[in-house]
CSV table of all heavy atoms in Angstrom, one decimal:
chain,number,residue,atom,x,y,z
A,1,ASP,N,-87.7,253.2,-19.2
A,1,ASP,CA,-86.4,252.9,-19.7
A,1,ASP,C,-85.4,252.2,-18.7
A,1,ASP,O,-84.3,252.0,-19.0
A,1,ASP,CB,-85.7,254.1,-20.3
A,1,ASP,CG,-85.6,255.3,-19.3
A,1,ASP,OD1,-85.8,255.0,-18.1
A,1,ASP,OD2,-85.3,256.4,-19.8
A,2,ARG,N,-85.9,252.0,-17.5
A,2,ARG,CA,-85.1,251.3,-16.5
A,2,ARG,C,-86.0,250.5,-15.5
A,2,ARG,O,-87.1,251.0,-15.2
A,2,ARG,CB,-84.3,252.4,-15.6
A,2,ARG,CG,-83.5,251.8,-14.5
A,2,ARG,CD,-82.8,252.9,-13.7
A,2,ARG,NE,-81.7,253.4,-14.5
A,2,ARG,CZ,-80.5,252.9,-14.5
A,2,ARG,NH1,-80.2,251.8,-13.8
A,2,ARG,NH2,-79.5,253.4,-15.3
A,3,VAL,N,-85.6,249.3,-15.2
A,3,VAL,CA,-86.4,248.5,-14.3
A,3,VAL,C,-85.8,248.2,-12.9
A,3,VAL,O,-86.4,247.7,-12.0
A,3,VAL,CB,-86.9,247.2,-15.0
A,3,VAL,CG1,-87.9,247.5,-16.1
A,3,VAL,CG2,-85.7,246.4,-15.5
A,4,PHE,N,-84.5,248.5,-12.8
A,4,PHE,CA,-83.8,248.5,-11.5
A,4,PHE,C,-82.5,249.2,-11.5
A,4,PHE,O,-82.0,249.5,-12.6
A,4,PHE,CB,-83.7,247.0,-11.0
A,4,PHE,CG,-82.7,246.2,-11.8
A,4,PHE,CD1,-81.4,246.2,-11.5
A,4,PHE,CD2,-83.1,245.4,-12.9
A,4,PHE,CE1,-80.5,245.4,-12.2
A,4,PHE,CE2,-82.3,244.6,-13.6
A,4,PHE,CZ,-80.9,244.6,-13.3
A,5,ASP,N,-81.9,249.4,-10.4
A,5,ASP,CA,-80.6,250.1,-10.3
A,5,ASP,C,-79.6,249.1,-10.0
A,5,ASP,O,-79.7,248.3,-9.0
A,5,ASP,CB,-80.6,251.2,-9.2
A,5,ASP,CG,-81.4,252.4,-9.7
A,5,ASP,OD1,-81.4,252.7,-10.9
A,5,ASP,OD2,-82.0,253.1,-8.9
A,6,ALA,N,-78.5,249.0,-10.7
A,6,ALA,CA,-77.3,248.2,-10.3
A,6,ALA,C,-76.5,248.9,-9.3
A,6,ALA,O,-76.5,250.2,-9.2
A,6,ALA,CB,-76.5,247.9,-11.6
A,7,PRO,N,-75.7,248.3,-8.4
A,7,PRO,CA,-75.4,246.8,-8.5
A,7,PRO,C,-76.3,246.0,-7.5
A,7,PRO,O,-76.0,244.8,-7.3
A,7,PRO,CB,-74.0,246.8,-8.1
A,7,PRO,CG,-73.8,247.9,-7.1
A,7,PRO,CD,-74.7,249.0,-7.6
A,8,ALA,N,-77.2,246.6,-6.8
A,8,ALA,CA,-77.9,245.9,-5.8
A,8,ALA,C,-78.7,244.7,-6.4
A,8,ALA,O,-79.3,244.8,-7.5
A,8,ALA,CB,-78.9,246.8,-5.1
A,9,ALA,N,-78.7,243.6,-5.7
A,9,ALA,CA,-79.4,242.4,-6.2
A,9,ALA,C,-80.9,242.6,-6.2
A,9,ALA,O,-81.6,242.2,-7.0
A,9,ALA,CB,-79.0,241.2,-5.4
A,10,THR,N,-81.3,243.3,-5.1
A,10,THR,CA,-82.8,243.6,-5.0
A,10,THR,C,-82.9,245.0,-4.6
A,10,THR,O,-82.3,245.5,-3.6
A,10,THR,CB,-83.5,242.7,-4.0
A,10,THR,OG1,-82.9,242.9,-2.7
A,10,THR,CG2,-83.4,241.3,-4.4
A,11,SER,N,-83.6,245.8,-5.4
A,11,SER,CA,-83.7,247.2,-5.1
A,11,SER,C,-85.0,247.7,-5.7
A,11,SER,O,-85.6,247.0,-6.5
A,11,SER,CB,-82.5,248.0,-5.7
A,11,SER,OG,-82.5,247.8,-7.1
A,12,THR,N,-85.4,248.9,-5.3
A,12,THR,CA,-86.6,249.5,-5.8
A,12,THR,C,-86.2,250.8,-6.5
A,12,THR,O,-85.6,251.6,-5.8
A,12,THR,CB,-87.6,249.7,-4.8
A,12,THR,OG1,-88.0,248.4,-4.2
A,12,THR,CG2,-88.9,250.3,-5.3
A,13,ALA,N,-86.6,251.0,-7.7
A,13,ALA,CA,-86.4,252.2,-8.4
A,13,ALA,C,-87.7,252.8,-8.9
A,13,ALA,O,-88.5,252.1,-9.3
A,13,ALA,CB,-85.4,252.0,-9.6
A,14,THR,N,-87.8,254.1,-8.8
A,14,THR,CA,-89.0,254.8,-9.2
A,14,THR,C,-88.6,255.8,-10.3
A,14,THR,O,-87.7,256.6,-10.1
A,14,THR,CB,-89.7,255.5,-8.0
A,14,THR,OG1,-90.0,254.5,-7.0
A,14,THR,CG2,-91.0,256.2,-8.5
A,15,SER,N,-89.3,255.8,-11.3
A,15,SER,CA,-89.1,256.8,-12.4
A,15,SER,C,-90.4,257.3,-12.9
A,15,SER,O,-91.4,256.8,-12.6
A,15,SER,CB,-88.3,256.1,-13.6
A,15,SER,OG,-89.1,255.1,-14.1
A,16,THR,N,-90.3,258.4,-13.6
A,16,THR,CA,-91.5,259.0,-14.2
A,16,THR,C,-91.6,258.7,-15.6
A,16,THR,O,-90.6,258.9,-16.3
A,16,THR,CB,-91.5,260.5,-13.9
A,16,THR,OG1,-91.5,260.8,-12.5
A,16,THR,CG2,-92.8,261.2,-14.5
A,17,ALA,N,-92.8,258.2,-16.1
A,17,ALA,CA,-92.9,257.9,-17.5
A,17,ALA,C,-94.1,258.6,-18.0
A,17,ALA,O,-95.1,258.9,-17.3
A,17,ALA,CB,-93.1,256.4,-17.6
A,18,THR,N,-94.1,258.9,-19.3
A,18,THR,CA,-95.2,259.5,-20.0
A,18,THR,C,-95.6,258.6,-21.1
A,18,THR,O,-94.8,258.2,-21.9
A,18,THR,CB,-94.8,260.9,-20.6
A,18,THR,OG1,-94.3,261.7,-19.5
A,18,THR,CG2,-96.0,261.6,-21.3
A,19,ALA,N,-96.9,258.4,-21.3
A,19,ALA,CA,-97.4,257.5,-22.3
A,19,ALA,C,-98.8,257.9,-22.6
A,19,ALA,O,-99.5,258.5,-21.9
A,19,ALA,CB,-97.4,256.0,-21.9
A,20,THR,N,-99.3,257.5,-23.8
A,20,THR,CA,-100.7,257.7,-24.2
A,20,THR,C,-101.6,256.6,-23.6
A,20,THR,O,-101.2,255.4,-23.7
A,20,THR,CB,-100.8,257.7,-25.7
A,20,THR,OG1,-99.9,258.7,-26.2
A,20,THR,CG2,-102.2,258.0,-26.2
A,21,PRO,N,-102.7,256.9,-23.1
A,21,PRO,CA,-103.3,258.2,-23.1
A,21,PRO,C,-103.1,259.0,-21.8
A,21,PRO,O,-103.6,260.1,-21.6
A,21,PRO,CB,-104.8,257.9,-23.3
A,21,PRO,CG,-105.0,256.6,-22.5
A,21,PRO,CD,-103.7,255.8,-22.7
A,22,THR,N,-102.5,258.4,-20.8
A,22,THR,CA,-102.3,259.1,-19.5
A,22,THR,C,-101.2,260.1,-19.6
A,22,THR,O,-100.1,259.8,-20.1
A,22,THR,CB,-101.9,258.0,-18.4
A,22,THR,OG1,-102.9,257.0,-18.4
A,22,THR,CG2,-101.9,258.7,-17.0
A,23,ALA,N,-101.3,261.3,-19.1
A,23,ALA,CA,-100.4,262.3,-19.3
A,23,ALA,C,-99.1,262.1,-18.5
A,23,ALA,O,-98.0,262.3,-19.0
A,23,ALA,CB,-100.9,263.7,-18.9
A,24,SER,N,-99.2,261.5,-17.3
A,24,SER,CA,-98.0,261.3,-16.5
A,24,SER,C,-98.3,260.0,-15.7
A,24,SER,O,-99.3,259.9,-15.0
A,24,SER,CB,-97.7,262.5,-15.6
A,24,SER,OG,-96.6,262.2,-14.8
A,25,GLU,N,-97.3,259.1,-15.7
A,25,GLU,CA,-97.5,257.9,-15.0
A,25,GLU,C,-96.2,257.5,-14.2
A,25,GLU,O,-95.1,258.1,-14.5
A,25,GLU,CB,-97.8,256.7,-15.9
A,25,GLU,CG,-99.1,257.0,-16.7
A,25,GLU,CD,-99.0,256.3,-18.1
A,25,GLU,OE1,-98.0,255.8,-18.4
A,25,GLU,OE2,-100.1,256.4,-18.8
A,26,THR,N,-96.3,256.7,-13.2
A,26,THR,CA,-95.1,256.3,-12.4
A,26,THR,C,-94.9,254.8,-12.6
A,26,THR,O,-95.8,254.0,-12.5
A,26,THR,CB,-95.3,256.6,-10.9
A,26,THR,OG1,-95.6,258.0,-10.8
A,26,THR,CG2,-94.1,256.2,-10.1
A,27,ALA,N,-93.6,254.4,-12.9
A,27,ALA,CA,-93.3,253.0,-13.0
A,27,ALA,C,-92.4,252.6,-11.8
A,27,ALA,O,-91.4,253.3,-11.5
A,27,ALA,CB,-92.6,252.8,-14.3
A,28,THR,N,-92.8,251.5,-11.2
A,28,THR,CA,-92.0,251.0,-10.1
A,28,THR,C,-91.5,249.6,-10.4
A,28,THR,O,-92.2,248.8,-10.9
A,28,THR,CB,-92.8,250.9,-8.8
A,28,THR,OG1,-93.4,252.2,-8.5
A,28,THR,CG2,-91.9,250.4,-7.6
A,29,ALA,N,-90.2,249.4,-10.2
A,29,ALA,CA,-89.6,248.1,-10.6
A,29,ALA,C,-88.8,247.5,-9.5
A,29,ALA,O,-88.2,248.2,-8.7
A,29,ALA,CB,-88.7,248.3,-11.8
A,30,THR,N,-88.8,246.2,-9.3
A,30,THR,CA,-88.1,245.5,-8.3
A,30,THR,C,-87.2,244.4,-9.0
A,30,THR,O,-87.8,243.6,-9.8
A,30,THR,CB,-89.0,244.8,-7.3
A,30,THR,OG1,-89.9,245.9,-6.7
A,30,THR,CG2,-88.2,244.2,-6.2
A,31,ALA,N,-85.9,244.4,-8.7
A,31,ALA,CA,-85.1,243.4,-9.3
A,31,ALA,C,-85.1,242.1,-8.4
A,31,ALA,O,-85.2,242.2,-7.2
A,31,ALA,CB,-83.6,243.9,-9.3
A,32,SER,N,-85.1,241.0,-9.1
A,32,SER,CA,-85.1,239.7,-8.4
A,32,SER,C,-84.1,238.8,-9.0
A,32,SER,O,-83.5,239.1,-10.0
A,32,SER,CB,-86.5,239.1,-8.5
A,32,SER,OG,-86.8,238.7,-9.8
A,33,ALA,N,-83.9,237.7,-8.3
A,33,ALA,CA,-82.8,236.8,-8.7
A,33,ALA,C,-83.2,236.0,-9.9
A,33,ALA,O,-82.4,235.4,-10.6
A,33,ALA,CB,-82.5,235.8,-7.6
A,34,SER,N,-84.5,235.9,-10.3
A,34,SER,CA,-84.9,235.1,-11.4
A,34,SER,C,-86.2,235.6,-12.0
A,34,SER,O,-86.9,236.4,-11.3
A,34,SER,CB,-85.1,233.6,-11.0
A,34,SER,OG,-86.1,233.5,-10.1
A,35,GLY,N,-86.5,235.2,-13.2
A,35,GLY,CA,-87.7,235.6,-13.8
A,35,GLY,C,-87.5,236.7,-14.8
A,35,GLY,O,-86.5,237.3,-14.9
A,36,SER,N,-88.6,237.0,-15.6
A,36,SER,CA,-88.5,238.1,-16.6
A,36,SER,C,-89.1,239.4,-15.9
A,36,SER,O,-89.5,239.4,-14.8
A,36,SER,CB,-89.3,237.7,-17.8
A,36,SER,OG,-90.6,237.6,-17.5
A,37,ALA,N,-89.0,240.4,-16.7
A,37,ALA,CA,-89.5,241.7,-16.2
A,37,ALA,C,-90.8,242.0,-16.9
A,37,ALA,O,-91.0,241.8,-18.1
A,37,ALA,CB,-88.5,242.8,-16.5
A,38,THR,N,-91.7,242.6,-16.2
A,38,THR,CA,-93.0,243.1,-16.8
A,38,THR,C,-93.2,244.5,-16.4
A,38,THR,O,-93.1,244.9,-15.2
A,38,THR,CB,-94.2,242.3,-16.3
A,38,THR,OG1,-94.0,240.9,-16.6
A,38,THR,CG2,-95.5,242.7,-16.9
A,39,ALA,N,-93.4,245.4,-17.4
A,39,ALA,CA,-93.6,246.8,-17.2
A,39,ALA,C,-94.9,247.2,-17.8
A,39,ALA,O,-95.1,247.0,-19.0
A,39,ALA,CB,-92.5,247.6,-17.8
A,40,THR,N,-95.8,247.7,-17.1
A,40,THR,CA,-97.1,248.1,-17.6
A,40,THR,C,-97.3,249.5,-17.5
A,40,THR,O,-97.2,250.1,-16.4
A,40,THR,CB,-98.3,247.3,-16.9
A,40,THR,OG1,-98.2,247.6,-15.5
A,40,THR,CG2,-98.2,245.8,-17.2
A,41,ALA,N,-97.6,250.2,-18.6
A,41,ALA,CA,-97.8,251.6,-18.6
A,41,ALA,C,-99.2,252.0,-18.2
A,41,ALA,O,-100.0,252.6,-19.0
A,41,ALA,CB,-97.4,252.2,-20.0
A,42,THR,N,-99.6,251.7,-17.0
A,42,THR,CA,-100.9,252.1,-16.4
A,42,THR,C,-100.6,253.1,-15.4
A,42,THR,O,-99.5,253.6,-15.3
A,42,THR,CB,-101.6,250.9,-15.8
A,42,THR,OG1,-100.8,250.3,-14.8
A,42,THR,CG2,-101.9,249.8,-16.9
A,43,SER,N,-101.6,253.5,-14.6
A,43,SER,CA,-101.3,254.6,-13.6
A,43,SER,C,-100.2,254.2,-12.6
A,43,SER,O,-99.5,255.1,-12.2
A,43,SER,CB,-102.6,254.8,-12.8
A,43,SER,OG,-103.0,253.6,-12.2
A,44,THR,N,-100.0,253.0,-12.3
A,44,THR,CA,-98.9,252.5,-11.5
A,44,THR,C,-98.4,251.2,-12.1
A,44,THR,O,-99.2,250.3,-12.1
A,44,THR,CB,-99.2,252.3,-10.0
A,44,THR,OG1,-99.7,253.6,-9.5
A,44,THR,CG2,-98.0,251.9,-9.2
A,45,ALA,N,-97.1,251.1,-12.5
A,45,ALA,CA,-96.6,249.9,-13.1
A,45,ALA,C,-95.7,249.3,-12.2
A,45,ALA,O,-94.7,249.9,-11.7
A,45,ALA,CB,-95.9,250.3,-14.4
């Protein structure tokens, strides 16, 4: 539900996500100046 923390232009945020079929997964996101966001619910996203 989050891919970066404001207001930093580039930052790294780590959150815990739960999805099927993996019981617990970790999503890591990096904000950049351009481009779209991709979030994959695998063991590490």
Side-chain angles (χ1 to χ4, degrees):
D1 56 16
R2 175 180 290 275
V3 288
F4 67 89
D5 287 326
T10 58
S11 62
T12 300
T14 302
S15 61
T16 299
T18 302
T20 303
T22 307
S24 178
E25 298 152 356
T26 301
T28 304
T30 304
S32 66
S34 63
S36 64
T38 301
T40 57
T42 56
S43 56
T44 301

